[in-house]
């Protein structure tokens, strides 16, 4: 920049020659210089204000854009960025109807190795094999001395195991904190619990996820942090479940059965007080699913909901109840039982010869196949389908465990008159014991459909009406007589007025080709007390054989019924039921004129 001198010599000399004051020239130049300096300062300030304004505009634009993005996005919980925080391990407890723990979390540690930090890898492998005999020493040495920088050794450790590993003193063996799922009751209610495993895993945390049963059904709810302090309350009663499983195991052993299941349900609410399936497993150490063979041979198989069987004569009460509801018969109606009953090339026979005719009540008490088939002919195939569909025999049960969806009933491809006849006494339609328990609960609660549930229900769940209260009452009276006069005489428990129906069905061969001659599914479906039903109990034995007599006996009256009676005898006091004197039938009173 060129600065103009305040007292330029040429102008000074010229002013003196003219007699002017040279100081005026200096003052004028000073004024001009100040004005120039002021103009430059103003321009510089205006530029700075413009830049500052532009910066403020950009900042507010960014903030406004970000606010718009947040407003249009889904809300989510803030998460810490520290290592392992992205894996949520917390899981809500599961408790029974009285608040007793069925499943909870347990703080433990995992064991992993960092081979580059190991000092004596071979010695560490030797010591680890002593603590964990299932580990392969050669494999460990190969991993410890190879190029691997990290490997898991054990996902879960007990405090004793952790201390033993710590005592090895190997710096390359490290522990990571984590939570595991603990079932403090072991095998108790194993098929209901199902089990849990690890999902996403990190060194400092592991995600616990449900893999079966109610753990998987309610996995999202159990993992939700919003419900972490609220346990999932089931309808099961821990004490009753323990008693049922103990008696069922003893009964299965005595009857030489391959498997067994027992379902105890409240008749009015559908709450499942106990669900047992044998053989069972420990969900703390859940076995791997089988990759070959029959799935029903695995202890993971839940016979209560996955076992789809022909349930035999337990179905007969449904045929009689429907005929009563339609007004086709009454309890005293005589039914033709002369046999064998011929339908084309097929023959329907009774276990014993019951004579030419029986009353409708005796058809149930004596368990006549012929009599029930003739009642089914009166009803017709179409009406029978409608009735059984209302009872829930066409769809899987909605019980809150994932395995229940696999219990799809097996229906005949063509529902002919012959199908209707055989289905009436429990052949030709296969369903699970849970289906049967729900249907018997419909009879027990006055004719309203019952939906079985594993969740605690505060009030009775009244479903649509399937039959009238009068029909249900007559059917219950018939079931009571089956125990007092018929095929379930071993089911009598003094003070508890048990009513029920036996069912013995030949077991079909796994690959088709008919039925086994010496293998059956024996079932006893019962209600108690029969005069005021509160509970339904279904007991099913797979391939039972009672061998105390001269000849082996396989029928439900000799196998499933005694087991069910012992269960009722054990659990009724636990349920708060006091033995009562059964009310007698009122004598008929006839008014006569004086």
């Amino acid at each position: 920049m060129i600065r103009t001198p305040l007292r330029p010599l040429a102008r000074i000399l010229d002013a003196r020659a003219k007699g002017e004051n040279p100081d005026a020239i200096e003052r004028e130049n000073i004024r001009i210089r100040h004005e120039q300096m002021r103009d430059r300062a103003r321009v510089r300030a205006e530029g700075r204000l413009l830049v500052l304004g532009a910066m403020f505009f950009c900042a507010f634009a960014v903030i406004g854009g970000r606010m718009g993005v947040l407003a249009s996005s889904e809300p989510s919980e803030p998460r810490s960025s520290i290592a392992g925080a992205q894996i949520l391990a917390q899981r809500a407890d599961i408790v029974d109807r009285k608040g007793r723990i069925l499943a909870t979390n347990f703080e433990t540690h995992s064991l992993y190795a960092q081979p580059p930090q190991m000092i004596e890898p071979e010695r560490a492998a030797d010591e680890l094999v002593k603590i964990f005999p299932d580990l392969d020493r050669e494999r460990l040495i190969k991993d410890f001395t190879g190029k691997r920088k990290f490997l898991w050794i054990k996902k879960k450790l007990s405090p004793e195991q952790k201390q033993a590993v710590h005592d090895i003193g190997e710096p390359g063996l490290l522990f990571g904190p984590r939570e595991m799922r603990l079932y403090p009751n072991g095998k108790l209610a194993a098929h209901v619990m199902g089990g849990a495993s690890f999902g996403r895993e990190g060194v400092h945390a592991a995600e616990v996820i449900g893999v079966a049963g109610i753990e998987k059904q309610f996995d999202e709810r159990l993992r939700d942090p919003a419900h972490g302090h609220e346990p999932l309350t089931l309808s099961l009663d821990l004490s009753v479940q323990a008693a049922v499983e103990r008696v069922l195991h003893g009964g299965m052993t005595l009857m030489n059965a391959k498997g067994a299941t027992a379902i105890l349900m409240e008749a009015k609410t559908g709450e499942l007080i106990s669900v047992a399936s044998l053989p069972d497993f420990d969900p703390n150490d859940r076995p791997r699913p089988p990759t070959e063979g029959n799935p029903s041979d695995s202890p993971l198989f839940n016979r209560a909901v996955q076992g789809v069987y022909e349930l035999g004569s337990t179905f007969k009460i449904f045929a009689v109840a429907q005929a009563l509801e339609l007004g086709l018969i009454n309890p005293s109606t005589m039914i033709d039982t002369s046999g064998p009953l011929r339908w084309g090339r097929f023959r329907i026979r009774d276990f014993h010869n019951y004579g030419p005719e029986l009353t409708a009540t005796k058809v149930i008490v004596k368990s006549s196949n012929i009599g029930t088939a003739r009642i089914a002919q009166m009803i017709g195939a179409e009406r029978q389908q409608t009735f059984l569909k209302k009872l829930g025999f066409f769809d899987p049960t909605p019980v809150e465990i994932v395995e229940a969806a696999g219990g799809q009933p097996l229906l005949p491809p063509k529902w002919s008159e012959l199908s209707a006849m055989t289905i009436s006494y429990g052949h030709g339609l296969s369903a699970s014991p849970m289906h049967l328990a729900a249907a018997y609960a419909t009879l027990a609660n006055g004719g309203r459909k019952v939906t079985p549930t594993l969740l605690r229900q505060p009030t009775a769940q009244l479903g649509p009406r399937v039959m009238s209260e009068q029909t249900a009452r007559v059917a219950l009276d018939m079931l009571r007589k089956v125990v007092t006069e018929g095929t379930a005489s071993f089911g009598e428990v003094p003070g508890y007025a048990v009513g029920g129906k036996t069912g013995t069905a030949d077991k079909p061969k796994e690959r088709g080709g008919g039925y086994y001659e010496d293998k059956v599914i024996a079932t006893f479906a019962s209600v108690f007390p029969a005069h005021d039903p509160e509970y339904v109990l279904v007991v099913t034995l797979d391939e039972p054989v009672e061998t105390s007599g001269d000849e082996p006996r396989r029928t439900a009256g000799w196998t499933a019924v005694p087991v069910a009676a012992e269960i009722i005898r054990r659990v009724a006091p636990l349920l708060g039921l006091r033995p009562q004197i059964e009310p007698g039938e009122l004598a008929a009173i006839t008014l006569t004129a004086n």
Side-chain angles (χ1 to χ4, degrees), residues 256-272:
N256 306 292
K258 175 183 176 182
T261 184
I263 300 168
L264 181 64
M265 178 192 298
E266 277 195 359
K268 293 180 175 61
T269 64
E271 290 185 4
L272 293 163

Side-chain angles (χ1 to χ4, degrees), residues 301-515:
F301 187 75
N302 189 343
R303 297 172 185 273
V305 295
Q306 291 177 288
V308 177
Y309 312 108
E310 290 182 345
L311 295 169
S313 297
T314 57
F315 265 53
K316 290 177 180 175
I317 193 64
F318 304 136
V320 172
Q322 185 179 10
L324 289 168
E325 183 70 9
L326 294 172
L328 301 175
I329 62 172
N330 62 50
S332 301
T333 300
M334 301 304 296
I335 307 297
D336 182 7
T337 55
S338 57
L341 173 59
R342 294 177 172 83
W343 196 95
R345 61 185 179 87
F346 298 96
R347 303 289 184 272
I348 296 176
R349 294 180 172 83
D350 281 333
F351 192 71
H352 298 290
N353 181 9
Y354 299 121
E357 59 182 10
L358 292 172
T359 65
T361 298
K362 288 296 183 181
V363 167
I364 294 297
V365 172
K366 298 293 184 181
S367 197
S368 170
N369 295 339
I370 296 174
T372 311
R374 293 197 186 279
I375 292 174
Q377 285 181 306
M378 300 180 195
I379 296 170
E382 186 174 346
R383 290 195 291 191
Q384 184 190 53
Q385 289 183 66
T386 302
F387 186 73
L388 293 179
K389 189 172 185 178
K390 289 181 179 179
L391 286 173
F393 284 109
F394 276 52
D395 303 298
T397 58
V399 179
E400 300 90 348
I401 48 178
V402 293
E403 292 80 6
Q408 173 65 48
L410 301 180
L411 309 176
K414 181 181 179 182
W415 205 298
S416 63
E417 182 182 14
L418 178 62
S419 297
M421 294 165 69
T422 59
I423 287 172
S424 70
Y425 56 84
H427 288 267
L429 186 154
S430 299
S432 70
M434 188 66 71
H435 284 96
L436 190 65
Y440 268 69
T442 300
L443 293 173
N445 78 353
R448 286 189 176 274
K449 189 177 187 305
V450 173
T451 301
T453 178
L454 279 164
L455 300 182
R456 195 78 166 91
Q457 303 295 326
T459 58
Q461 306 298 307
L462 298 178
R465 182 163 291 284
V466 178
M467 67 190 77
S468 66
E469 289 189 27
Q470 182 180 0
T471 298
R473 181 68 262 168
V474 173
L476 289 174
D477 290 341
M478 292 181 178
L479 294 177
R480 175 61 181 147
K481 290 182 179 179
V482 172
V483 175
T484 58
E485 305 173 14
T487 58
S489 57
F490 289 149
E492 181 68 353
V493 180
Y496 294 107
V498 179
K501 186 71 189 75
T502 56
T504 307
D506 292 332
K507 189 173 181 179
K509 295 179 179 178
E510 288 80 1
R511 299 182 180 179
Y515 295 82

Side-chain angles (χ1 to χ4, degrees), residues 520-594:
V520 300
I521 300 293
T523 303
F524 182 52
S526 60
V527 298
F528 63 98
H531 55 274
D532 185 19
E534 293 191 42
Y535 297 96
V536 171
L537 174 66
V538 172
V539 174
T540 298
L541 300 180
D542 188 355
E543 300 182 18
V545 183
E546 200 280 322
T547 56
S548 64
D550 296 333
E551 295 183 1
R553 291 172 286 212
R554 297 180 173 85
T555 59
W558 285 96
T559 57
V561 172
V563 176
E566 184 60 24
I567 289 176
I568 294 172
R569 190 176 292 110
R570 294 280 188 93
V571 305
L574 297 176
L575 295 169
L577 293 179
R578 294 183 178 182
Q580 298 178 355
I581 297 175
E582 185 178 3
E585 296 184 5
L586 296 176
I589 300 176
T590 304
L591 296 176
T592 59
N594 292 333

Side-chain angles (χ1 to χ4, degrees), residues 125 129 132-143:
V129 170
F132 309 104
D134 58 315
L135 294 180
D136 185 344
R137 178 181 179 276
E138 300 302 324
R139 179 67 182 178
L140 285 176
I141 294 176
K142 182 179 179 181
D143 289 336

